[in-house]
Amino acid sequence: MQVLIADDHSIVRSGLTHLVGELNEDARVDAATSFDQLNQMLSGGGPYDLIIMDLRMPGMSGLDDVEDLVRRVAPVPVVVFSMIESPDEMRAVLSRGVRAFIPKSTDDVLVVNILRLVLAGGSYVPPVLGMPGVTSAPAAKPQQPSVFDGMTRRQLEVLDLLAQGLSNQEIGERLGLNLSTVKTHVTGVLKALGVGSRTQAVLLVKESGRDRLV
């Protein structure tokens, strides 16, 4: 797997490089510090499997640049990793075709899960914008423990490990299960929670405020 990270802050590039390594220890990461360098690397490097970029870096003139980039690299997914917290700005960015908008305040375990989802062909919308099966409304929180309580102990164990950012293979090794069995349990977890993806399941755990389910 080859990933291109574009951000003008070295600590962000280093952190994202580490998280990409959590996805695939053999991943190759190229780093750009400006939008111009990003374009140069796209011309001379790759092919890339994933592009992660900031919005406010040297050379960026606006969201038209983002849209042009998305079209240029399609079908390679583009993920925006940004300090922006305004819902309106997030919606504007997502409307340009990026696969995910990840606020820089996002927990690193969740970032890994989001990137895994994107690489699998999915997309991610921050909870502040609303997601099917996930809500941040306080009135919904009391209902979440009852959903968890209706799950089997094994499903709760699997969900705990999902929330820690483990892959299916790693979950199998931790619980002594084969890969096929793990996939069956993950499917059961998603069905029990009424969500359509691993990321949404993890978000429900985060919203519940519970560190562990078992």
Side-chain angles (χ1 to χ4, degrees), residues 164-183:
Q164 295 174 38
L166 274 64
S167 67
N168 286 352
Q169 183 66 43
E170 292 167 332
I171 291 173
E173 293 172 356
R174 185 73 65 88
L175 299 179
L177 304 173
N178 62 46
L179 188 57
S180 177
T181 301
V182 173
K183 290 180 179 179

Side-chain angles (χ1 to χ4, degrees), residues 185-198:
H185 284 309
V186 170
T187 299
V189 166
L190 300 185
K191 183 176 181 181
L193 294 178
V195 299
S197 73
R198 300 162 66 102

Side-chain angles (χ1 to χ4, degrees), residues 36-90:
D36 290 338
Q37 188 178 21
L38 167 61
N39 282 307
Q40 292 172 5
M41 299 182 81
L42 287 174
S43 298
Y48 294 103
D49 300 291
L50 175 67
I51 297 171
I52 309 172
M53 62 179 292
D54 191 12
L55 288 177
R56 295 169 178 168
M57 59 180 167
M60 285 283 294
S61 60
L63 293 183
D64 286 345
D65 286 341
V66 177
E67 186 171 0
D68 290 343
L69 177 67
V70 169
R71 290 175 177 173
R72 176 184 177 186
V73 303
V76 176
V78 176
V79 171
V80 167
F81 189 64
S82 174
M83 288 292 293
I84 290 175
E85 298 287 348
S86 164
D88 288 340
E89 290 186 80
M90 291 180 185

Side-chain angles (χ1 to χ4, degrees), residues 3-214:
V3 179
L4 177 54
I5 296 172
D7 195 292
D8 58 332
H9 293 95
S10 62
I11 190 169
V12 174
R13 296 193 303 273
S14 297
L16 287 173
T17 298
H18 173 74
L19 294 181
V20 168
E22 295 287 328
L23 287 172
N24 186 331
E25 62 182 11
D26 297 321
R28 174 183 170 186
V29 177
D30 292 336
T33 60
S34 69
F35 190 66
D36 290 338
Q37 188 178 21
L38 167 61
N39 282 307
Q40 292 172 5
M41 299 182 81
L42 287 174
S43 298
Y48 294 103
D49 300 291
L50 175 67
I51 297 171
I52 309 172
M53 62 179 292
D54 191 12
L55 288 177
R56 295 169 178 168
M57 59 180 167
M60 285 283 294
S61 60
L63 293 183
D64 286 345
D65 286 341
V66 177
E67 186 171 0
D68 290 343
L69 177 67
V70 169
R71 290 175 177 173
R72 176 184 177 186
V73 303
V76 176
V78 176
V79 171
V80 167
F81 189 64
S82 174
M83 288 292 293
I84 290 175
E85 298 287 348
S86 164
D88 288 340
E89 290 186 80
M90 291 180 185
R91 291 189 186 95
V93 174
L94 288 165
S95 72
R96 300 306 178 107
V98 300
R99 192 72 65 79
F101 187 106
I102 307 176
K104 287 185 177 178
S105 58
T106 304
D107 180 82
D108 57 353
V109 172
L110 183 53
V111 172
V112 172
N113 278 327
I114 294 169
L115 296 180
R116 183 176 287 121
L117 173 68
V118 169
L119 285 168
S123 59
Y124 174 79
V125 176
V128 68
L129 301 185
M131 292 180 65
V134 178
T135 177
S136 57
K141 289 184 178 180
Q143 298 176 3
Q144 292 173 358
S146 65
V147 174
F148 297 140
D149 291 343
M151 298 168 64
T152 67
R153 180 176 179 83
R154 180 62 84 188
Q155 287 175 335
L156 292 173
E157 291 173 340
V158 170
L159 181 56
D160 260 339
L161 297 177
L162 285 176
Q164 295 174 38
L166 274 64
S167 67
N168 286 352
Q169 183 66 43
E170 292 167 332
I171 291 173
E173 293 172 356
R174 185 73 65 88
L175 299 179
L177 304 173
N178 62 46
L179 188 57
S180 177
T181 301
V182 173
K183 290 180 179 179
T184 298
H185 284 309
V186 170
T187 299
V189 166
L190 300 185
K191 183 176 181 181
L193 294 178
V195 299
S197 73
R198 300 162 66 102
T199 296
Q200 292 178 3
V202 171
L203 283 170
L204 280 178
V205 177
K206 300 292 184 184
E207 289 288 333
S208 75
R210 297 168 63 173
D211 294 330
R212 297 294 299 273
L213 299 176
V214 290

